[in-house]
Amino acid sequence: MSIGQAASAAHHSVAVIGAGQAGLSISWYLARSGIEHVVLEKHRAGHAWRAERWDSFCLVTPNWQCQLPGFPYQGADLQGFMLRDEIIDYFDAFVASFNPPLREGVTVRSLRADQHGFVLDATDGVHVADQVVIATGGYQIPIIPRCAERLPGDILQIHSCWWSAAANPAARSRKTCISAAARFTSASVMRRGCHGAIAARMSSNGCI
Ligand SMILES: Cc1cc2nc3c(=O)[nH]c(=O)nc-3n(C[C@H](O)[C@H](O)[C@H](O)COP(=O)(O)OP(=O)(O)OC[C@H]3O[C@@H](n4cnc5c(N)ncnc54)[C@H](O)[C@@H]3O)c2cc1C
């Protein structure tokens, strides 16, 4: 970082990258401890739940397990399972409950360390932080096996997700695909996909 950049960069005790439940939970604890920080989010808080789940999505984890910090599930149906819009409402209410120092629509393009601390090159400028929490989610890059290239063109191929088949049979009938496939899921798809076309069909059925 140049001297000019160092002078103009925003300096934070902690920069949190990503405003999913992990990043915002960290923010809640930082706020409770009075630690100055910023949360940089590429889209909107809760983006994965808001934009990367299908319309009829339903949690596989029961409501009593929904324990965002300081904000446990407050409804009457403890043994029930929230639907997508209920999850978003719950998430939004959590955010509103503590007003985190959130900057939405800001993508962190690179992160490196220098003599000033951690330097984050983001779309709203340069940030410098003493500590950085990377909470960008675990399901970003699907692993597509090379053998997928050899499958006939009439087979629909999508990167899949192990949650969906068990969690939400209704979702299987929808002709949609989850954009956020689990890396670990994709690995299992890779193994199945390599057995050929029928296996590939099965793996896509798990997702649509
Ligand atoms: C299909 C499916 C079903 C699931 N079902 C359940 C369930 O029933 N129960 C359950 O507990 N969990 C479930 N999960 C898991 C749950 O969704 C994840 O564990 C959770 O979303 C992870 O939260 P996170 O904050 O780590 O990441 P995310 O929610 O992915 O948040 C990461 C955030 O980082 C942002 N970001 C990424 N890169 C950058 C960048 N460079 N700069 C700035 N911001 C960035 C993203 O926009 C995003 O908002 C499911 C997951 C999937 C895929």
Side-chain angles (χ1 to χ4, degrees):
M1 186 166 60
S2 70
I3 292 173
Q5 279 182 315
S8 62
H11 192 110
H12 310 283
S13 295
V14 183
V16 180
I17 310 172
Q21 66 215 46
L24 286 171
S25 294
I26 291 281
S27 175
W28 187 90
Y29 284 106
L30 290 169
R32 189 180 67 165
S33 301
I35 297 173
E36 186 279 328
H37 65 286
V38 66
V39 183
L40 305 174
E41 164 57 45
K42 179 161 48 170
H43 302 288
R44 272 183 72 188
H47 173 78
W49 296 114
R50 205 181 297 282
E52 296 182 345
R53 304 289 181 269
W54 52 93
D55 298 349
S56 59
F57 179 83
C58 178
L59 284 181
V60 289
T61 40
N63 294 336
W64 62 264
Q65 280 189 8
C66 295
Q67 300 280 338
L68 289 170
F71 205 79
Y73 170 78
Q74 289 160 5
D77 190 9
L78 286 172
Q79 303 300 331
F81 301 85
M82 277 188 266
L83 300 172
R84 187 190 65 171
D85 290 350
E86 296 170 318
I87 302 165
I88 294 168
D89 288 347
Y90 172 57
F91 199 93
D92 287 345
F94 168 60
V95 175
S97 75
F98 74 106
N99 192 24
L102 179 59
R103 295 197 194 172
E104 297 178 306
V106 175
T107 302
V108 177
R109 293 184 288 223
S110 70
L111 170 65
R112 62 192 165 79
D114 74 6
Q115 73 273 23
H116 301 286
F118 291 102
V119 181
L120 300 89
D121 174 31
T123 49
D124 69 342
V126 176
H127 297 257
V128 179
D130 300 330
Q131 308 288 339
V132 171
V133 177
I134 302 173
T136 52
Y139 308 143
Q140 298 183 2
I141 305 172
I143 300 171
I144 310 292
R146 291 299 304 270
C147 62
E149 297 165 14
R150 299 196 298 274
L151 294 176
D154 64 334
I155 294 179
L156 172 67
Q157 296 185 48
I158 56 179
H159 55 87
S160 186
C161 177
W162 62 282
W163 293 91
S164 53
N168 197 345
R172 280 183 246 165
S173 64
R174 297 185 60 81
K175 298 294 178 194
T176 56
C177 179
I178 311 157
S179 60
R183 176 174 280 273
F184 128 23
T185 304
S186 302
S188 86
V189 171
M190 179 169 68
R191 284 195 297 276
R192 285 182 289 164
C194 286
H195 289 114
I198 292 175
R201 277 187 211 278
M202 287 171 59
S203 66
S204 61
N205 281 344
C207 185
I208 57 178

